[in-house]
């Protein structure tokens, strides 16, 4: 199995699998990575995304202050474990440099395409809707028009053009605590006009993802296909439970699912996952891959309260997904 | 006031306003135009659209047979009043001529752009979503990819490109009997990729459209702006009530509302509007305009059971909307 | 049986009971009294109240224009049947004569106490709440502070002080299309401070009033007790059905129910009651009584669309309520 | 096609199909058969069942008085059209002759098995549940223990034992205005113990029965199978719509569906079906068949307000069901 | 007080009550007995049942693998504390030995009657329904037809025939996260046909069981009556809370409740009860009794995640129930 | 800043702010103050109120026994930390000394006005409603008539008359787990008749109090205004989260909000706040202030399970509120 187009990240945060553990992913011993009230006015930081950047790491973080309203902050880290946040949220601007305001911003993903960095997140466009912005220096973030009509969440860009077009996964839904939702794929020549919409994956018959699913972290290209992590939700009498699993999508026709794991990879089991602002949430939003070793560091939000980390190897994960595919 | 880009339709169905009536629109004395079980296997025909065609009229009709599942049928009429339906529903095909199947199709709109005819309607794309097809002869209908992600209804195309792009209004919502919804506008260079999404109109403070709104019939271009009919819904303890009203949109920037009438133009008051499969529905989907006289024939579905007709004059309607604008 | 404190109204609108009819109340042959679009900008007039006034009749009417928002209008009538409405809604003022604005006003009741007239209705006090105003000339209406906290509807004042205090019935509920509710009674020395709250009647085991009840028209004093009409609501799979019945309350302790009729007096059966803006509603809001003959003219809203009228005799009605009491 | 085990009913109520009508069933010109307030204290009589009896007809009727609570009444008719009701509801007794009370009783079916008559209906067993009673003279009705656990409705007995056992169709559901439900079949050696439960028919993909279905009138045995009428419900934004259709079940293994009509046979279209206490209900509960001519008289409740009648011929109906079978 | 028909179980798992503790039941110090991911592919094991078997213990366990779908597994234990699970779920067969498949199986109870073992559980019969199977060797499990129509859960068999018939408790409900439900009792001569249904216990006025109740573990026969543990549910703004308590049922007429404890015996208080897949659940499903000493070991699921254990003495428990009876 | 009308409480429970902590309030190191099953039959004690009394402290406590029904108990404490509860709940009486019964009592507040002590709480007046009682010795509690109509909760009296009248804050709502609600203010000359109702604060745009708010502890008078703690609720997909914050109200016109803090002061973060009977609840109900030092001890219920304590200084809190005011 070959990893494609990923970089060497010698300083990727990593721990080997505990002895005897056969699990496809394993948790960081220092979890949760980002605890409550980690800095200044920030009370909860979770569902956030990092990329390697100039030998270190940089990321876009969902952070809430004591008003409870989420905004996006830039954070920097030498080791991918300890994060230094900027004092103020990102101010997105339009092409002319004017502030492109919205009441809230949440659940960012971050991907590098052809040397530039693209953030996708959810903001308020007369209802929750996806937003995209481009940055090259993590200082100026230029926001595009909203790519899709509301109501939509969990927008994930592929890290390269496919067939000459940008490709995005998303999860159309409704204006509230949506109780349904599948993953779709759309294409664009210019990041402004989107179409050729395809249905990629529907919620599953497995109970852990009966209610809804959504794309998680940035797709990883391998010669077996795109490795995609996705969350799945089940509805108990005491609320939703968010687990996550993985799939392999066709490299050139990414709307085609080659393998989809019927088992979850991780489900809320630790205190920092089962208790918090929203109990029972594991929500992956970012994956680092060291091309040389295949090591993976998967960042996931836990309980809408903490940022957590788990690890795997790309080939181990791809193997597991294929073996447990339906 | 000048009507732009509309044709002369000397045989437009029309009745003058009853004496003493000051209303902005008035009902056809022969309503409902299409009654229950109008032909062969068809049980209910409503929410349908007509255009002038070769000196007569042709249309795409939402018709349900006794399974209750809606499909689209071509219908022809010499006078716009008495309709002859084809025996079988339209079979949409893709570019290669293969059948482009969907489980149901409903609420079509129909518009001529540069000599071709475009149908927009709602079909099943893993949830209710908008569809577009093109025809030149009303025999072959070539379907485009779904323009937007689900869940979306009430797609209305403008009858000409604006700023070099196709323009569509739509109402994103959810997968069921949606209890919320505003009108948005999107643009496309090719009818395949859509973007530059704008919010056009939100539900109103007036009680008749407190719950949701949606674009109705094909926009009529005038030198005062695009005349758009839209439905508005209020939620009583015994269900939704659908009325309709009108707005004027900027000619070159149609996302800008110049005038929006705070009064409804028509609300369910007649037996064929207040009783039927879905009581209390007046749902406009098509408007014919005779360029010479300014006469308007507005087709609207009533009670999700009948096709009804009401009349006005373009200048009278525009005047009313401006006068009662908020 | 003796009627107390009511006036002679020789011109009370009335029709004798149809031959052979044994019903406790019977409908006016000219129903609905007020049809759709009865005047100028008014589209629906219903749930309204009249009193005898200077040999004729005057009333406060819930009327909606084409925005669908309800306001209150003064209407005058020589015969209690044909009403002349004022052009503009009542503008309520505070003690200083400043406008006491609210977004909407609905379901007024009207009663004379010691020579002054008191309107009670529902308006918007951060949610639906009861309002009271006093007038002596039906030109100036001085509004009191809101007597109760929201959320409350169906406030009915007794036509005299009892035990030296003003007495009001009301139906506390919630902020929407309430699915529960009982009738309570409150007392006030000054129409400003209210207390000594009592529970008067709960929803019934009879199916017609299983869901909620509310006081209807002005209580009529008799030596058998206060004759109170009240509406009751049942919840079918296709919405609420509003019927009404009657009860006798103790004269000096009106929170005590002496008799409560287990049968409805009137239930939606006529087209103007079963079809309209809100199907299946009979909602009594006002009763005229001619002291000499005992004739009653009961005004009730039908289908939230029309004003209708039915008749009875006080003793016949009291007799029926006692006979069918539980 | 041969009708089995039915009697000759020369005085069956009947009208021939209107000229040119191709429908599988056609309405009685005198509909509704039983109007509002048909007798004494009865306000609404519907969802009721008749059998031929001593050269005339007798039936068990759901009737509500002005409390709105439904009880069952015996009614007699010489012609199947004009009904004479008993003054008081049926008092069911247990084997010892003691009253077997319940708060309400509704939606009876009636069938003759081996010379005795069996009523099945819904009453209150800590929630809606099915009840059975036996009578031979329509004076004494002996009630059995509740055959099934709640919550269940629409119990229909087959008119003969099959494989030596009694057979009943029913529709398990929940305690309220159920939004789901399929038809099941159960067997009993003694009308007391029930088991061998089978699933017979699920709600349909056709929109008229998307939400739930339930067995309607007594099954008619033919050499093609048991002819079963069943109602189907769809859920609009303004409430449920009840239509009905038919199926053929295997004669000896009645849990096996041979043919199921994908079209409805009758859907609410007339005023007495679309307006009333519960708008848009056609609910079949009883079918008379004249063995000699094959004439059918189908009784159905309309709008939970009226009893209506429609006609067909057994072979025409069976033919239609087979032709439109899925 | 005398225990009837139970065996001596000298190796029953047991701990004496902590000093000073006056509680009717006390928790095992090693709780939770079965933790997350206890074996191979099993992620959560809970709501399960054990019996003494050949000097050791055997049980049927609800276990979920990483698909989240529950199946039933056989488990064996020497001490009732440490369990060895079989690798694969039980494959139920019909009388002919053919696989009797269902999509899921959950919440088993297990009881010995006349030398054979009977499992009752919930599986998918077009909605959740009860299932029964018989085994003598815990290798072959023969499944009966579904005893009741759906929708039903919490089926508990009595460990002997009463009055010559098998007796089962169950909780009819609906197809989802039911918000209502009482305990009923049914009888059968053959485990196939069920009838003589009785209502046993309704949800309580005590707040801990306001919403619904359900039979818990196998009834224990004593000369004071059948000791039944049952769970009760209350509905907070943040979900359901499951506690449990006990009742005494008449020995020969077990539908008659002699005593019902108004206090809960155990309510979620420990971390492994208040946090997990479904927070705040204590759900008893099995009780072992040592006839000689009266020691009880009660197995209960906690948080739909763990299997836990608590202890009591039969006489202490019966005494508590009687003392706190309502 | 000056504290007005508060006493010196030298023995006020207090801890200084942990070093480096900049928070406006800080938790007691011994939290939770009152744990599960603190005494005799009491299982959970929370949402309770204390006052200084004869050199020590006395309070009224919401306590639930094992039936789960809440009642009010008197508790005494020398240090405000360790509480001794009475064995039996308070028996409220009317003026004649007769028991004034209600099914449940919860969420008491306690305030001293002119030498007498007033308890306000929620009990059952045909739905949840506010109650008031007066005591001078904490033995006899005389209950007034219910001050407001149901449905209302969170009644908080001001500790002195303002403008010659008693003043109460409350939160009208509905009969269940209310999903909306604002704070209102009412005035009374006699604690019996209430009026002059004003709207004080609506739910906030900040996400932590989007859903509803309610007055918390007794208002503290300062020369900057009345310091009011209030709880705010947000609605996640897994239930409500209760945080609290503070506001300053005008001293003589307390319906006027001078400052309202946009940040929460405390949100559930500790195990005893995020886990329990109702996870994620911090609910302030009482504040002690030492006039001399300005020390504050704020009692708050956590997780509807525990009583907890946090501290601040009046001036620090007022400063924070003003600084973060919107």
């Amino acid at each position: 199995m070959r990893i494609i187009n990923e970089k060497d990240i010698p300083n990727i945060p990593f721990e080997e699998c505990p002895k005897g553990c056969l699990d496809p992913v394993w948790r960081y011993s220092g979890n949760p990575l980002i605890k409550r009230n980690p800095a200044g006015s920030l009370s909860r930081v979770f569902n956030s995304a990092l990329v390697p950047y100039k030998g270190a790491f940089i990321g876009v973080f969902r952070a809430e202050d004591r008003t409870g309203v989420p905004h996006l902050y830039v954070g920097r880290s030498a080791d991918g474990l300890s994060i230094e946040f900027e004092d103020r949220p990102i101010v997105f601007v339009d092409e002319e440099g004017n502030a492109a305001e919205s009441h809230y911003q949440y659940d960012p993903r971050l991907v590098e395409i052809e040397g530039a960095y693209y953030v996708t997140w959810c903001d308020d466009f007369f209802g929750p809707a996806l937003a995209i912005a481009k940055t090259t220096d993590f200082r100026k973030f230029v926001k595009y028009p909203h790519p899709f009509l509301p109501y939509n969440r969990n927008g994930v860009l592929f890290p390269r053009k496919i067939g000459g077009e940008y490709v995005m996964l998303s999860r159309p839904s409704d204006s509230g605590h949506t109780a349904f939702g599948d993953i779709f794929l759309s294409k664009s020549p210019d990041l402004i006009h989107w179409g050729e919409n395809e249905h990629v994956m529907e919620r599953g018959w497995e109970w852990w993802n009966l209610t809804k699913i959504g794309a998680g972290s940035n797709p990883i290209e391998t010669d077996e296909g795109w490795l995609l992590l996705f969350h799945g939700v089940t509805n108990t009498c005491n609320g939703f439970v968010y687990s996550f699993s993985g799939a392999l999508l066709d490299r050139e026709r990414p709307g085609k699912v080659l393998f989809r794991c019927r088992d979850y990879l991780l489900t809320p089991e630790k205190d920092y996952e089962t208790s918090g602002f929203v109990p029972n949430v594991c929500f992956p939003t970012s994956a680092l891959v060291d091309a040389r070793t295949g090591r993976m560091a998967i960042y996931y939000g836990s309980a809408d309260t903490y940022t957590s980390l788990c690890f795997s190897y790309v080939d181990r994960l791809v193997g597991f997904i294929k073996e447990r595919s339906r």
Side-chain angles (χ1 to χ4, degrees), chain A:
Chain A
M1 211 223 58
R2 210 157 45 79
I3 300 169
I4 297 165
N5 285 328
E6 295 286 339
K7 302 174 179 168
D8 291 352
I9 314 181
N11 57 338
I12 190 171
F14 196 73
E15 291 176 345
E16 290 296 347
C17 185
K19 211 144 188 192
C21 159
L22 302 168
D23 293 338
V25 303
W26 50 97
R27 291 173 178 87
Y28 172 44
S29 63
N31 268 354
L33 196 66
I34 309 180
K35 298 185 174 50
R36 287 183 186 269
N37 306 306
S41 64
L42 306 186
S43 59
R44 292 184 295 265
V45 178
F46 57 99
N47 300 357
S48 302
L50 287 88
V51 288
Y53 186 69
K54 302 187 175 174
F57 302 95
I58 199 164
V60 175
F61 293 81
R62 170 183 178 159
E64 300 170 7
D65 57 23
R66 288 170 162 244
T67 66
V69 182
H71 296 294
L72 303 185
Y73 288 73
V74 169
R76 290 175 175 79
S77 177
D79 58 5
L81 296 172
S82 153
I83 319 283
E84 197 120 340
F85 300 102
E86 294 197 347
D87 282 349
R88 312 213 129 262
I90 297 170
V91 178
F92 294 95
V93 295
D94 63 18
E95 303 250 316
E96 285 77 40
N98 302 314
E101 295 188 358
S102 59
H103 296 106
Y104 57 79
Q105 305 87 39
Y106 64 77
D107 292 358
R109 272 72 162 194
L110 181 57
V111 73
E112 183 186 348
I113 311 176
E114 299 174 6
Y117 298 88
Y118 295 87
V119 194
T120 50
W121 73 97
C122 180
D123 74 3
D124 178 32
F125 182 42
F126 299 87
L130 292 177
I132 314 181
K134 175 183 185 171
T135 188
T136 52
D137 57 6
F138 287 86
R139 291 181 205 286
K140 185 177 177 191
F141 290 83
V142 179
K143 193 175 168 186
Y144 290 81
H146 286 94
F148 305 120
L149 293 169
Y151 307 88
N152 204 331
R153 273 165 270 211
N154 297 307
V156 170
L157 273 171
F158 282 76
R160 67 165 170 90
K161 288 189 184 176
I162 303 174
E165 290 188 297
Y166 297 96
V167 180
M168 179 145 50
L169 301 170
S170 71
R171 208 272 310 285
S173 54
D174 69 15
S175 63
H177 292 305
T178 313
F180 60 90
D182 295 353
I183 299 175
F184 287 75
L185 176 152
S186 310
K187 296 179 183 165
S188 173
D190 55 9
L191 287 171
I192 293 174
H193 298 90
W194 293 86
E196 299 170 82
N197 302 303
E198 291 175 65
H199 182 263
V200 181
M201 284 167 59
E202 67 203 331
R203 51 217 107 154
W205 58 260
E206 305 93 355
W207 284 21
W208 68 269
N209 65 0
L210 269 175
T211 300
K212 55 177 174 176
I213 56 174
S217 49
N218 44 304
I220 309 293
E221 191 166 6
T222 76
D223 60 356
E224 303 264 13
W226 293 99
L227 168 57
L228 175 72
L229 299 180
F230 65 97
H231 66 260
V233 182
T234 196
N235 186 15
T236 78
C237 65
N238 282 3
F240 288 158
V241 178
Y242 284 73
S243 309
F244 69 82
S245 191
L248 287 168
L249 308 181
D250 188 86
R251 285 179 64 197
E252 294 312 316
R253 295 171 48 213
K256 188 175 165 198
V257 180
L258 304 176
F259 296 95
R260 175 179 174 176
C261 189
R262 62 181 185 269
D263 289 4
Y264 58 77
L265 298 175
L266 202 82
T267 200
E269 296 184 327
K270 298 294 179 186
D271 280 357
Y272 55 85
E273 295 162 344
T274 60
S275 262
F277 186 72
V278 181
N280 283 321
V281 177
C282 289
F283 193 90
T285 45
S286 184
L288 301 175
V289 171
D290 175 32
R292 200 180 57 84
T293 58
R295 291 174 167 180
M296 291 183 72
I298 302 164
Y299 292 86
Y300 65 101
S302 51
D304 277 20
T305 303
Y306 310 103
T307 299
S308 296
L309 185 57
C310 60
F311 306 112
S312 191
Y313 281 95
V314 174
D315 52 2
R316 179 168 177 161
L317 203 45
V318 167
F320 187 89
I321 290 168
K322 289 174 68 177
E323 179 197 320
R324 307 291 173 99
S325 182
R326 37 185 200 164

